[in-house]
Amino acid sequence: MSKKLAVVISGAVSLGSFEAGVIYEVLEAIARHNESLSENSENDENRIEIDVITGASAGGMTACILAQNLLYDDGSLREPYKNSLYKAWVEKVDIVPLLKVAKEDQHISLLNKGVVERIAAELLQDKEEPERTKHPAASSEIQIGVAMSNLNGFNYQVKTSGNKTFAYTRFKDQFVCSVRREENGDAVLKEKKLEDDTWEDFTDIKWSDLREAGISSGAFPLAFPMKSIFRVGSGKFSNRDSKNKNDDNPDSVHKGNYLYTDGGVFENEPVGMARALVDQAQEKEDNVTRYYLLVKPGERKASEDPFLNQEQNLLTTAIALFGAIFQQAQFQDWIMEKIDSPELLTITSNDSELIGDVFSAFSGFLEEKFRAYDYNIGRERAREQLKEAHRRRLLSFDPNEPDKMPAIEWKVVEVDDRGNRTLARWEDVKSKLGELAKEIRVDAKDKVIVDDQGDQWKKGKRSQLKELHRLMHEVKPETRKEICEQLKERLGSLVDFINDKYLAKADKQNPVGVNLNNLQFIRELIKSAKAAEFSDIDLDINFKLMAREAFGKPLAKIILVGVLDFWLEKNILNPP
């Protein structure tokens, strides 16, 4: 009985580096397992093949790159520190280019979308190369699902008795396709749509379509701008506005342009999507043992009671309501249902062991060594879980045994003032950088709690700011300076945007001033000078607008940028 694996990759922001390390290790273990079966001339019943991949946010981008590399690998995924995922999440993404946003775009997003688009274009290309080999862990056909958040939404109408209609808008969206490698090596890509509870081939697509879906899923709100994507549609809709019509199939793809943001907003762990694709795959194959693998940095924890030990008031009620709405948006129906196969495997990180977990999971972008560290931790966590797979006879070998898997090494080169290489061995790196990953908890007076073993530590509040201070000592001075300059410039641009877009407009609509055209002596002056060319000049004097432009906007920039500069000096440039 053959074994099939569905891989689910959650949202992660910069912790995509951890997920990349996990995935490399899993792929390599499966590859060596399958190769050992071939060497021993055994049948294919014990082979493990990946036939479904789903992802959200950072995991959605990883899923798209992974799919192409699995079917057209040519050995790249076999290299622990030269594969496409390592390049994407460790080598090629960094805070300095991410922060360099053109001035005219600074009011749209905090980070430069071009960096992500260039990485995606380089690592997921439209060029087909049939001569490239398939990865030993890959099935010949892979179903891919990318979680998406459609901010336009799809509108549906439900008719009731008495010709009454209820209208609903669905913002949770997805891009589903299949990629099949033909015997001659050609790739056949088909977008899919749901018809009568079955995913059916809908239209031909290119790798670039999959790439665009992955980028849109990773468009973290505010950090990156919304992504505009044209959905081909099912033929029932001819234009963007007609989507408001009643639709007999609420899961069909609607035609039109839509704006997308981070796919993890509504489905950060798309296990349910994987299950739906698995159900379809199992209809085509008999005698298949199904496994799911969820890759996620950090364990999913239930929401704490917002009213626990708190006095009920307007503020606590508002906070609890906002948290409940957000948590409900993340809740998935598959949790309430039984997955056909109970084999849901997870590879997660423990608390306080990933550097990129600090500052809302963005801190990994600060330094390549932070991302490389998290990548290697991902490899280690994967080996721990794969040992369990060996115990259950899913793998033919224990990945933790010497020489069974490629060594975990340190490839980031750093030199000291004397030109000597520092942190050359993974053991040394793990000992030093591991301290940066540990949580810092403080008491009510913002004092660090030293005892991390007792109940007091558990009750202490985590201080991400103090953790950021600790990280900044390991960030290069020139990087810290660039971060500060970019953030101050961004704040100045925001002040200009608010003034020019909203406040100045309000001043023009409600002016406080005088129109000189209404003064008799001005008209007589123009007439006597025979200055007909000046007769159409608008001689309005808006004192509010003049005062705002001359004093209000510059003063606001000086104050706000000055406050930010003071904060950055104390927390980024010269942290305590």
Side-chain angles (χ1 to χ4, degrees):
M1 183 176 292
S2 62
K3 299 177 177 65
K4 298 289 186 180
L5 180 65
V7 178
V8 181
I9 313 170
S10 80
V13 196
S14 73
L15 289 173
S17 55
F18 167 83
E19 294 179 332
V22 170
I23 292 168
Y24 164 77
E25 204 71 20
V26 171
L27 294 180
E28 185 63 23
I30 295 176
R32 296 190 177 213
H33 165 85
N34 290 343
E35 289 170 346
S36 68
L37 297 180
S38 301
E39 292 173 0
N40 296 328
S41 300
E42 297 185 22
N43 56 42
D44 292 338
E45 290 185 355
N46 290 318
R47 285 183 61 84
I48 303 173
E49 292 185 344
I50 296 172
D51 65 337
V52 173
I53 307 173
T54 63
S57 190
M61 294 189 288
T62 296
C64 297
I65 296 173
L66 178 61
Q68 186 180 63
N69 279 265
L70 280 172
L71 291 173
Y72 297 93
D73 167 59
D74 203 27
S76 66
L77 286 177
R78 305 299 300 272
E79 297 287 339
Y81 301 103
K82 295 181 181 179
N83 63 76
S84 296
L85 299 183
Y86 184 85
K87 292 177 182 177
W89 289 108
V90 178
E91 290 184 347
K92 294 184 176 296
V93 61
D94 192 75
I95 192 62
V96 173
L98 281 173
L99 281 174
K100 290 185 177 180
V101 180
K103 189 173 181 61
E104 61 270 19
D105 295 330
Q106 289 180 355
H107 67 283
I108 299 175
S109 65
L110 296 173
L111 302 180
N112 185 352
K113 67 175 182 177
V115 174
V116 176
E117 291 175 343
R118 285 193 296 272
I119 294 173
E122 178 181 344
L123 300 178
L124 206 170
Q125 301 180 8
D126 255 333
K127 183 180 179 181
E128 296 181 7
E129 299 182 86
E131 68 275 9
R132 287 194 171 191
T133 58
K134 181 168 68 73
H135 192 280
S139 175
S140 295
E141 181 173 358
I142 298 177
Q143 313 292 322
I144 307 160
V146 180
M148 305 171 74
S149 297
N150 185 338
L151 296 185
N152 298 109
F154 294 140
N155 295 338
Y156 305 108
Q157 295 180 352
V158 180
K159 292 182 179 179
T160 64
S161 60
N163 292 323
K164 299 293 184 181
T165 302
F166 287 106
Y168 298 88
T169 303
R170 186 173 190 260
F171 299 95
K172 179 179 175 181
D173 198 359
Q174 55 195 1
F175 183 89
V176 176
C177 69
S178 65
V179 184
R180 184 176 69 254
R181 181 187 173 108
E182 303 283 35
E183 291 185 2
N184 63 359
D186 290 342
V188 177
L189 289 82
K190 297 279 188 180
E191 184 178 355
K192 291 179 173 291
K193 66 174 181 177
L194 201 58
E195 293 283 4
D196 299 325
D197 297 326
T198 302
W199 286 102
E200 301 287 351
D201 289 345
F202 167 48
T203 185
D204 294 332
I205 60 171
K206 300 178 180 179
W207 287 111
S208 57
D209 297 314
L210 181 60
R211 182 174 67 236
E212 290 294 288
I215 293 173
S216 75
S217 184
F220 193 88
L222 302 182
F224 295 103
M226 295 178 289
K227 181 74 174 176
S228 177
I229 293 183
F230 180 80
R231 303 302 295 269
V232 176
S234 61
K236 297 181 182 179
F237 304 98
S238 59
N239 57 60
R240 171 71 172 80
D241 295 330
S242 64
K243 77 186 184 72
N244 293 315
K245 298 178 181 179
N246 185 44
D247 179 17
D248 294 332
N249 178 12
D251 289 302
S252 64
V253 180
H254 295 64
K255 184 177 182 179
N257 285 304
Y258 298 94
L259 289 175
Y260 288 92
T261 190
D262 194 306
V265 172
F266 300 116
E267 194 170 16
N268 201 48
E269 297 94 24
V271 179
M273 190 189 306
R275 179 193 174 188
L277 295 176
V278 162
D279 289 343
Q280 165 130 350
Q282 288 182 333
E283 291 180 0
K284 299 180 180 179
E285 297 186 40
D286 297 325
N287 299 322
V288 172
T289 302
R290 169 61 57 182
Y291 298 93
Y292 296 82
L293 171 64
L294 172 60
V295 181
K296 177 177 173 58
E299 299 177 358
R300 165 69 79 170
K301 297 181 180 179
S303 176
E304 297 180 357
D305 185 348
F307 292 111
L308 185 65
N309 299 324
Q310 291 191 31
E311 178 184 356
Q312 183 175 338
N313 54 49
L314 292 177
L315 180 59
T316 57
T317 301
I319 294 174
L321 180 60
F322 177 80
I325 293 172
F326 179 78
Q327 292 288 336
Q328 182 60 40
Q330 293 277 309
F331 190 86
Q332 303 301 315
D333 291 338
W334 68 267
I335 299 172
M336 304 292 292
E337 303 171 4
K338 179 182 178 181
I339 294 180
D340 293 337
S341 170
E343 304 297 340
L344 175 58
L345 312 174
T346 60
I347 300 180
T348 65
S349 61
N350 300 323
D351 291 340
S352 247
E353 68 173 341
L354 295 178
I355 296 177
D357 185 48
V358 180
F359 218 62
S360 300
F362 276 91
S363 59
F365 294 135
L366 296 173
E367 284 284 346
E368 181 181 350
K369 64 183 178 183
F370 295 167
R371 302 187 293 275
Y373 173 87
D374 289 340
Y375 178 89
N376 275 351
I377 293 296
R379 293 189 63 188
E380 288 191 346
R381 294 292 83 79
R383 288 192 182 185
E384 292 176 3
Q385 294 301 314
L386 290 173
K387 183 176 182 178
E388 175 66 13
H390 169 63
R391 189 187 67 81
R392 294 162 63 179
R393 300 180 183 274
L394 299 179
L395 281 178
S396 59
F397 65 95
D398 183 352
N400 294 279
E401 293 179 1
D403 302 325
K404 289 295 183 180
M405 294 285 286
I408 298 178
E409 302 175 272
W410 187 247
K411 296 295 184 179
V412 179
V413 177
E414 285 193 335
V415 294
D416 58 20
D417 296 337
R418 298 180 179 180
N420 299 319
R421 181 175 177 180
T422 60
L423 299 179
R425 298 171 60 250
W426 168 238
E427 291 77 10
D428 299 331
V429 173
K430 188 176 178 182
S431 175
K432 180 179 180 180
L433 296 188
E435 292 297 318
L436 302 179
K438 292 182 179 179
E439 290 183 6
I440 295 178
R441 291 187 176 268
V442 298
D443 59 17
K445 297 181 180 180
D446 202 37
K447 292 183 178 180
V448 175
I449 300 173
V450 179
D451 180 14
D452 60 353
Q453 302 298 323
D455 293 335
Q456 186 184 12
W457 171 264
K458 296 178 182 178
K459 294 178 182 178
K461 181 181 179 181
R462 183 179 181 183
S463 175
Q464 296 246 15
L465 182 59
K466 291 186 181 297
E467 293 174 4
L468 182 65
H469 292 163
R470 183 174 59 189
L471 284 186
M472 281 300 162
H473 288 288
E474 290 294 326
V475 176
K476 292 187 286 290
E478 56 269 27
T479 300
R480 281 183 267 164
K481 183 178 180 180
E482 183 67 28
I483 292 172
C484 294
E485 292 301 319
Q486 289 290 337
L487 291 178
K488 288 187 291 184
E489 180 180 332
R490 205 63 43 80
L491 181 57
S493 295
L494 181 61
V495 172
D496 289 339
F497 173 74
I498 294 175
N499 271 276
D500 299 341
K501 185 71 173 179
Y502 299 104
L503 300 182
K505 184 178 180 180
D507 290 341
K508 292 177 181 178
Q509 292 175 344
N510 301 286
V512 175
V514 62
N515 189 336
L516 298 182
N517 287 318
N518 296 328
L519 299 180
Q520 181 66 27
F521 80 91
I522 293 295
R523 292 200 301 270
E524 291 297 329
L525 180 63
I526 294 176
K527 184 177 179 180
S528 63
K530 297 182 180 180
E533 65 271 20
F534 298 114
S535 61
D536 295 330
I537 291 179
D538 186 6
L539 296 178
D540 278 339
I541 298 178
N542 189 332
F543 295 122
K544 279 180 64 178
L545 184 60
M546 290 175 60
R548 187 180 301 283
E549 289 295 325
F551 304 104
K553 185 166 70 172
L555 186 59
K557 290 176 71 172
I558 290 173
I559 294 174
L560 293 176
V561 174
V563 171
L564 178 61
D565 186 43
F566 177 79
W567 188 91
L568 293 172
E569 173 70 29
K570 298 295 183 182
N571 295 280
I572 303 296
L573 279 179
N574 298 294

